[in-house]
């Protein structure tokens, strides 16, 4: 899969939503109800971070929820790419990028949304044809005002800010004409997920869905 084909797939996925919830799950058995809850709240796209040993099983469970679009996040090691694709990941998000990661995603036909946070990193990704880039870590790198300044010199790039995004600051990022959507874990707080408080998560999802 060529980079421009990846970009078309990523554009389609990002344009479906304003918010992509990030999840970090230790227990794959609650992956399905969590995906169903997010769907009921209006969010169909989910990023499953590879930060727990259960992540591949979580992806697999989510692939069984028909309307959910599960992607793999925190994808760093090229050796995890095929495994994530086999587990049902429909897209991949990485905090930065390497040549090997791009090659592995091309080979596995897994659309990649790579991360950058400096103008040079953005330009290197641009040179490779990536017109949609994760902006990470958004808040720690200077937040909305820094992204706004960066956006002015890269009008051709759409950004997916993540890292420190909350229900309070998300709307600000979404006001930028070249923020395609935002990502964050505020929709799926660990405590509520562990308590399987689906009603509370559904409300957070619905509030996130209504942000624009
Ligand atoms: C990421 O993986 O993109 C970020 O670590 C998410 O950050 P958050 O937990 O602050 O939303």
């Amino acid at each position: 899969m060529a980079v421009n084909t990846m970009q078309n797939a990523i554009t389609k996925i990002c344009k479906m939503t304003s918010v992509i919830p990030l999840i970090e799950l230790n227990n794959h058995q609650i992956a399905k109800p969590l995906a169903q809850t997010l769907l009921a709240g209006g969010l169909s796209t989910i990023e499953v971070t590879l930060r727990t040993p259960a992540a591949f099983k979580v992806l697999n469970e989510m692939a069984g929820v028909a309307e959910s679009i599960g992607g793999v996040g925190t994808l760093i090691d090229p050796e995890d790419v095929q495994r994530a694709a086999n587990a049902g990941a429909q897209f991949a998000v990485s905090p930065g990028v390497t040549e090997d990661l791009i090659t592995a995603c091309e080979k596995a036909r897994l659309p990649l949304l790579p991360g950058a946070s400096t103008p040079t990193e953005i330009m290197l990704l641009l040179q490779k044809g990536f017109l949609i880039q994760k902006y990470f870590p958004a808040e720690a790198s200077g937040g909305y005002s820094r992204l706004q300044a960066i956006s002015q010199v890269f009008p051709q790039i759409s950004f997916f800010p993540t890292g420190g995004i909350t229900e309070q600051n998300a709307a600000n990022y979404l006001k930028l004409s070249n923020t395609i959507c935002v990502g964050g874990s505020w929709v799926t707080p660990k405590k509520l997920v562990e308590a399987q408080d689906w009603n509370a998560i559904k409300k957070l999802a619905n509030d996130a869905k209504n942000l624009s």
Side-chain angles (χ1 to χ4, degrees), residues 22 51 134 136 162-164 184-185:
L22 266 72
R51 295 184 198 144
K134 165 167 161 149
F136 174 81
T162 80
S185 58

Side-chain angles (χ1 to χ4, degrees), residues 28-85:
H28 70 276
Q29 283 167 342
I30 58 172
K32 226 175 213 176
L34 177 55
Q36 282 159 342
T37 299
L38 292 169
L39 257 182
L43 300 179
S44 55
T45 311
I46 302 164
E47 181 186 326
V48 179
T49 59
L50 276 192
R51 295 184 198 144
T52 62
F56 293 104
K57 278 190 178 168
V58 170
L59 280 166
N60 215 291
E61 290 289 321
M62 289 199 165
V65 181
E67 288 165 60
S68 279
I69 302 169
V72 60
T74 325
L75 183 63
I76 296 167
D77 187 342
E79 294 200 1
D80 286 333
V81 171
Q82 192 60 57
R83 206 173 155 204

Side-chain angles (χ1 to χ4, degrees), residues 146-194:
R146 183 167 184 270
L147 182 56
Q148 185 181 36
I150 284 178
S151 296
Q152 280 165 11
V153 292
F154 297 110
Q156 68 276 58
I157 297 181
S158 295
F159 291 100
F160 168 58
T162 80
I165 312 283
T166 62
E167 192 176 343
Q168 286 69 39
N169 63 23
N172 242 353
Y173 284 95
L174 289 166
K175 270 187 217 137
L176 286 174
S177 59
N178 52 356
T179 289
I180 192 161
C181 60
V182 301
S185 58
W186 87 86
V187 183
T188 52
K190 225 175 187 151
K191 265 195 180 160
L192 294 184
V193 173
E194 277 168 10

